[in-house]
Amino acid sequence: MAMAENAIRVVNLEKNYRKIKAVDGISFEIPEGEAFGLLGPNGAGKTTTVRILLTLIQPSAGSAHIFGMDTVSQSDRIRQVAGYVPQGISVDGEITAYENMLIYSKLYGIPSFQRKGRINEVLEYIGLVERANDLVKTYSGGMMRRLELAQSLINRPKILFLDEPSIGLDPNARIAMWEMVRRLREEFGTTILLTTHDMVEADTLCDRIGIMDKGRLAVIGTPSELKSAVGGDVITISAKNASLSDVMGQLGYETIAEPLNGTADLLVKNGETAIPRIVGEFQGKGVELESVFLKKPTLDDVFLKYTGSRIDDGADWAQTRKTRATYGRMAK
């Protein structure tokens, strides 16, 4: 069986802004047809990496290739095979969906005699053809996001970059966006690179995940591989006015990370049978546990294991989500 061509190949990639390393020597490959996720908090370097791959900015060091094309010397060719849905709002609410699409078709150099047919084809595929001549400000937030996806598909891209694809969407619109992404892969074999810090989104959409933190790639693997690497079941315990670190040191429990605010995540085998023993041992040390919670490892636990902290929203992401939500309310 022949090996798939690499859609993306990144080697020792760096991006420096004065004294700040936004991307710090990362390397990875993505085979053609794969859905790959960069998971991490705001400021981890995810969007900077995507912008380098899209040829929007140049790296400070290292190299990046899209289907064998260098992002620095062959930027024009790369832009013809790539689509991009950014975090920020990229549709104009004061014009129609068709007019938004027409602008993008011109930007991508679609010949004039092909534009109308191509626009209607994509709008029909995305489920917006009946609203093509309505002002975009009358759309729901989910419809706007679908239009942004449609814009990215006008040039029939071989690779699609999605920066926080479900940002600001309500649960139903979020699921609908996920279905559209899955459909693109199944029907066209589109390679997808998405950035997210939504654990469920990453688990749902991605074949493999790279966890980024402070500009570096901490680990890469399939969701199941990464969760298995946590090493057993996770029991979260919390105690009031007690030093869990001292007690756990005495009892010899392994944790995902250092206890924080009286809460700790213990790694155990056979969690169901371990709970009574754990409660008894802590009581024997004079520690009254307020709560004990058993769960299977999640990607959030994986992130904690490899970075030492829980993932959080971050100000920029939260502001973008708020902007989208406000835009959606104004549209109604």
Side-chain angles (χ1 to χ4, degrees):
M1 180 178 176
M3 293 184 65
E5 177 186 4
N6 277 328
I8 294 177
R9 185 169 185 265
V10 170
V11 179
N12 298 325
L13 194 68
E14 294 184 12
K15 182 60 180 178
N16 305 321
Y17 294 102
R18 295 185 179 179
K19 295 182 179 180
I20 298 173
K21 276 197 172 184
V23 179
D24 190 3
I26 65 173
S27 298
F28 63 94
E29 295 180 351
I30 301 177
E32 185 174 2
E34 182 175 82
F36 185 89
L38 285 176
L39 178 65
N42 179 60
K46 308 184 305 296
T47 296
T48 301
T49 300
V50 168
R51 288 174 63 82
I52 291 173
L53 293 172
L54 283 165
T55 76
L56 299 176
I57 57 176
Q58 293 191 6
S60 302
S63 64
H65 290 80
I66 306 293
F67 293 107
M69 295 177 286
D70 181 74
T71 57
V72 175
S73 62
Q74 296 173 289
S75 58
D76 288 345
R77 292 180 59 194
I78 288 173
R79 292 175 188 179
Q80 292 304 309
V81 300
Y84 177 41
V85 180
Q87 269 189 51
I89 295 168
S90 60
V91 291
D92 186 339
E94 299 301 322
I95 59 178
T96 67
Y98 186 92
E99 290 167 335
N100 271 279
M101 294 290 290
L102 183 60
I103 291 170
Y104 269 71
S105 69
K106 291 179 179 179
L107 289 173
Y108 274 109
I110 307 299
S112 58
F113 68 91
Q114 292 182 358
R115 289 172 191 160
K116 183 176 181 180
R118 184 77 64 87
I119 291 169
N120 288 331
E121 174 188 292
V122 175
L123 288 176
E124 183 172 5
Y125 179 78
I126 217 77
L128 292 176
V129 70
E130 293 182 357
R131 299 289 304 273
N133 296 314
D134 295 343
L135 294 179
V136 172
K137 66 182 181 180
T138 66
Y139 281 18
S140 67
M143 291 172 66
M144 289 180 187
R145 201 56 168 156
R146 281 157 58 197
L147 179 58
E148 289 174 320
L149 182 58
Q151 290 174 162
S152 74
L153 299 178
I154 193 66
N155 64 325
R156 297 173 178 169
K158 293 176 64 179
I159 185 167
L160 182 62
F161 295 85
L162 305 174
D163 199 356
E164 302 284 359
S166 62
I167 191 170
L169 299 183
D170 62 54
N172 290 333
R174 181 174 176 235
I175 293 171
M177 171 59 72
W178 292 353
E179 288 301 320
M180 289 303 306
V181 172
R182 278 195 286 252
R183 187 180 166 197
L184 280 170
R185 291 194 61 208
E186 292 170 1
E187 296 183 8
F188 301 108
T190 308
T191 303
I192 294 170
L193 188 152
L194 67 91
T195 73
T196 185
H197 62 267
D198 183 327
M199 301 295 178
V200 178
E201 182 165 83
D203 212 349
T204 301
L205 294 180
C206 299
D207 299 313
R208 290 188 306 142
I209 294 166
I211 292 181
M212 284 197 77
D213 186 44
K214 299 174 183 176
R216 297 182 179 181
L217 268 173
V219 65
I220 294 177
T222 68
S224 59
E225 287 171 348
L226 294 177
K227 286 182 281 189
S228 295
V230 172
D233 294 336
V234 179
I235 293 181
T236 301
I237 62 172
S238 62
K240 191 174 183 179
N241 299 325
S243 176
L244 291 178
S245 297
D246 293 341
V247 177
M248 286 189 299
Q250 297 170 26
L251 295 175
Y253 281 108
E254 181 184 358
T255 62
I256 298 178
E258 285 296 313
L260 181 65
N261 299 326
T263 301
D265 294 303
L266 311 183
L267 288 173
V268 300
K269 302 294 183 183
N270 302 316
E272 292 86 351
T273 60
I275 288 176
R277 183 186 74 249
I278 290 170
V279 173
E281 289 178 344
F282 275 88
Q283 286 177 339
K285 294 292 185 180
V287 177
E288 195 70 31
L289 296 179
E290 289 187 317
S291 65
V292 180
F293 179 69
L294 169 66
K295 63 179 181 178
K296 299 298 180 183
T298 65
L299 288 178
D300 194 30
D301 298 316
V302 174
F303 188 84
L304 180 61
K305 174 182 175 69
Y306 286 101
T307 68
S309 63
R310 295 278 181 193
I311 200 167
D312 57 28
D313 284 356
D316 289 349
W317 186 89
Q319 182 57 48
T320 303
R321 180 174 59 182
K322 182 178 178 181
T323 300
R324 283 193 171 278
T326 301
Y327 201 163
R329 286 196 300 271
M330 291 174 61
K332 295 179 180 178

